Amino acid sequence: MGALPGERGQRVSTANRVSGVTMTTIASCVRIDGERVVDSLQETGNWVESANSKVVLDFSSVRRIDPSALRALEDLAGIAGERAVTLELRGVSVDVYKVIKLAKLAPRFLFGMRDAHSSATEQESCHAEPSARRSSVLG
């Protein structure tokens, strides 16, 4: 089943190292629909202001990114920057990453991947079946 645009998944716990100390951060996870990238990013922007310190965007279903999606991504980065929310893009294909980098947007995001270093809970929660609730209902 495809993800609905901007639909939030479960909250995931990620570990960050700051000054040699490992700190746990609770991050919201959003699955971006590859067929409706702009809608997904715009709906994500609607609730980023109420997010904790980090939002993980699952780009694994996004195969291409067009200029309107780049604008939506830039707008989302602006909203996150105003709210001091870190955006991490996961599962980004090489082609999509190249477009983001050429548009000079890459420095505004963290890039992660699902790998052996990610916890099983973290991997499953970003790629779990979406809930029936839409992001506009969540606050």
Side-chain angles (χ1 to χ4, degrees), residues 9 17 22 54 71 81 89 101 105 114-115 128 132:
R17 289 193 62 82
T22 301
K54 186 174 185 178
R71 276 190 294 281
L89 309 184
K101 187 171 180 176
L105 290 176
R114 290 185 339 131
D115 60 15

Side-chain angles (χ1 to χ4, degrees), residues 13 19 26 33-34 36 40-42 46 49 51 57-58 67 74 79 81 90 99 101 105-106 111 114 118 125 139:
S13 176
S19 301
I26 303 299
D33 183 343
R36 302 183 64 211
S40 295
L41 293 171
Q42 287 173 342
N46 291 336
E49 64 189 45
L57 302 173
D58 175 5
E74 184 174 23
I79 292 168
R90 290 198 185 159
V99 173
K101 187 171 180 176
L105 290 176
F111 290 87
R114 290 185 339 131
S118 300
S125 63

Side-chain angles (χ1 to χ4, degrees), residues 72-131:
L73 196 57
E74 184 174 23
D75 292 344
L76 181 60
I79 292 168
E82 291 171 3
R83 307 289 189 270
V85 173
T86 301
L87 296 175
E88 180 177 340
L89 309 184
R90 290 198 185 159
V92 177
S93 71
V94 172
D95 292 334
V96 170
Y97 176 76
K98 286 179 181 178
V99 173
I100 293 171
K101 187 171 180 176
L102 285 171
K104 299 185 184 335
L105 290 176
R108 299 177 78 176
F109 303 98
L110 295 176
F111 290 87
M113 60 176 48
R114 290 185 339 131
D115 60 15
H117 301 292
S118 300
S119 70
T121 303
E122 188 176 342
Q123 290 181 22
E124 290 170 8
S125 63
C126 278
H127 297 282
E129 285 297 317
S131 67

